Amino acid sequence: MPYVYLDHAATSWPKPPAVIEAVKEAMERDSANPGRGSHAMAVRASRVLFDARKALAKLFAVKNPNDIAFALNTTMALNTAIKGFLKPGDHVIATAVEHNSVRRPLEYLKKLGIIEVTYVESNAEGLLDAKEVEHAFRPNTRLAVVNHSSNLLGSIMPVGDIGTITRRRGARLLVDAAQTAGLLEIDVEAMGIDMLAFPGHKGLLGPQGTGGLYIHPELDLEPMMHGGTGSQSESIEQPAVRPDRYEAGTQNTAGIAGLRAGVRHVLHETVQNIHTKEMTLAQQMMEGLLAVGGVRVLGPGLGKPRTGIVSFVLEGADPSEIGFILDQHYNIAVRTGFHCTPLAHGTAGTLDTGAIRASVGCFTTSEEVEAFVEAVNEIGRHYS
């Protein structure tokens, strides 16, 4: 029985052959420490990082590639942005579908008495009216944080409209692009994005342990980590120059080489084509699931814009049990439980049960979606 992988919202698989080859090549010939030497191998390693930055800058319409700092993942990037930007007395606006990578840092700072937080409600489908963000503004509002797409509901936030509001009100906008980098068009200037946190291992098709943070050139964040950068080593202070200021320690050269290859794959295929394919597969999946008795699909309704995430519950069934059956009896991988986003589950009304999440990727086929729907249909008959 062929293996059907429908957990791309957690990490993409398989990786393009070019990604695997790039990691291998970097390990074999470019494994010196980037920025820590002038010999040929160190220079080649530095080139890997710079070329990856340039590819990412092209993808996100960033003018200066050095405004992109690498991170281990979106969580690290979000923590760098939130903890490095906010000051005592600041008010933050977030949404009621945020991932714990946003909620927990905000709640930590709130618990310390440093900031205040308002979570703007969306409807049950996870759709947000940007006007609600503006209504939540206070005189001390300094930052709005929104995920571009819910990792549970697949709903897409009106980031551009929110960016217009934050610019007009003199605040900054941080976007969590964990579910959209490489899958939806992102233009940081046009959309008013001041900081963009993104993973390398999901829609960008790179290895795990890669990601980054775009930081608007006007912003100076307090670095989350301090240490060696290979530059200004005589100074006791962290360098002010970018990206060194936010990249203390040795970087994951081989992983970033794979990320570079993944971004180049996305640029070649185009984000628009990838999204169109995933949207088509998600609609096919929704149509099939909605025909199964007892199934309730979460997020935007059929035909509405969404990412390639389709979460659902089956009446009378434990989501974890359904996921186990799909894995053990049908060789199909999905994600069950609470997906590190209790806020979104509260919005969807599934906080007591959790849900089953199937998510497609750029290599998913229509036949795989059909096999998944048929498996859920067979399982559902035992619960009806």
Side-chain angles (χ1 to χ4, degrees):
M1 184 182 297
Y3 189 66
V4 177
Y5 183 80
L6 295 174
D7 196 19
H8 293 270
T11 197
S12 57
W13 183 89
K15 305 298 183 183
V19 170
I20 298 169
E21 183 58 33
V23 173
K24 180 175 180 290
E25 181 180 331
M27 293 292 289
E28 290 177 344
R29 65 180 298 271
D30 299 328
S31 282
N33 204 319
R36 268 72 169 184
S38 58
H39 56 81
M41 189 183 291
V43 171
R44 288 200 305 270
S46 296
R47 172 58 63 178
V48 168
L49 270 60
F50 183 65
D51 285 350
R53 260 186 258 276
K54 286 201 302 181
L56 288 162
K58 182 177 181 181
L59 183 67
F60 300 135
V62 172
K63 292 180 180 178
N64 184 353
N66 288 329
D67 288 331
I68 297 173
F70 290 117
L72 293 176
N73 43 51
T74 318
T75 301
M76 181 178 177
L78 287 166
N79 272 265
T80 298
I82 291 169
K83 295 174 182 176
F85 178 75
L86 292 172
K87 308 292 184 186
D90 286 347
H91 173 247
V92 181
I93 300 170
T95 78
V97 292
E98 295 301 324
H99 189 277
N100 279 343
S101 295
V102 167
R103 187 189 190 191
R104 285 177 173 172
L106 290 179
E107 290 297 323
Y108 171 75
L109 295 179
K110 178 182 175 182
K111 182 179 179 180
L112 293 179
I114 295 174
I115 65 169
E116 301 172 306
V117 185
T118 298
Y119 295 99
V120 177
E121 296 293 333
S122 65
N123 64 18
E125 294 183 346
L127 300 174
L128 177 72
D129 185 343
K131 293 178 182 178
E132 296 301 317
V133 173
E134 183 147 33
H135 293 160
F137 262 77
R138 300 178 186 175
N140 60 332
T141 300
R142 192 155 170 262
L143 181 68
V145 188
V146 299
N147 60 9
H148 198 180
S149 174
S150 167
N151 73 311
L152 172 69
L153 305 174
S155 52
I156 300 171
M157 294 296 174
V159 170
D161 293 340
I162 296 171
T164 298
I165 292 168
T166 53
R167 281 183 173 176
R168 186 172 67 246
R169 301 295 294 263
R172 297 292 185 170
L173 174 62
L174 167 61
V175 174
D176 174 0
Q179 298 301 333
T180 58
L183 304 172
L184 288 180
E185 295 284 356
I186 297 175
D187 183 322
V188 295
E189 288 295 324
M191 299 169 79
I193 298 171
D194 297 293
M195 293 177 282
L196 180 79
F198 60 90
H201 66 102
K202 297 185 183 185
L204 298 183
L205 305 173
Q208 295 173 354
T210 63
L213 176 68
Y214 159 72
I215 307 166
H216 192 283
E218 292 178 357
L219 299 183
D220 179 32
L221 309 182
E222 285 296 320
M224 191 170 70
M225 293 179 60
H226 298 77
T229 59
S231 63
Q232 302 179 19
S233 296
E234 70 284 359
S235 173
I236 62 171
E237 301 290 340
Q238 194 72 6
V241 64
R242 297 185 180 196
D244 298 20
R245 183 166 179 75
Y246 307 107
E247 290 184 356
T250 300
Q251 293 301 304
N252 178 10
T253 305
I256 293 170
L259 172 59
R260 176 184 62 179
V263 174
R264 286 173 173 173
H265 179 92
V266 170
L267 289 169
H268 179 265
E269 296 296 323
T270 77
V271 172
Q272 183 177 7
N273 286 342
I274 292 172
H275 175 62
T276 298
K277 177 182 178 180
E278 294 196 7
M279 176 70 173
T280 300
L281 291 172
Q283 296 302 307
Q284 177 192 347
M285 186 180 290
M286 290 177 66
E287 287 179 358
L289 290 173
L290 290 169
V292 177
V295 164
R296 177 168 73 93
V297 176
L298 311 181
L302 195 62
K304 294 182 180 180
R306 64 157 64 218
T307 52
I309 294 170
V310 180
S311 298
F312 66 99
V313 291
L314 178 61
E315 186 178 354
D318 182 339
S320 296
E321 183 178 0
I322 302 302
F324 180 81
I325 294 171
L326 286 168
D327 180 48
Q328 295 297 307
H329 295 278
Y330 294 92
N331 219 22
I332 298 174
V334 297
R335 169 84 181 273
T336 64
F338 295 95
H339 312 90
C340 301
T341 181
L343 280 171
H345 277 282
T347 297
T350 52
L351 192 54
D352 293 333
T353 62
I356 305 145
R357 184 185 72 188
S359 49
V360 302
C362 66
F363 297 120
T364 304
T365 66
S366 178
E367 291 75 19
E368 288 176 324
V369 172
E370 185 178 349
F372 166 69
V373 170
E374 180 55 34
V376 174
N377 191 36
E378 289 182 9
I379 296 169
R381 286 199 287 265
H382 294 284
Y383 288 91
S384 58

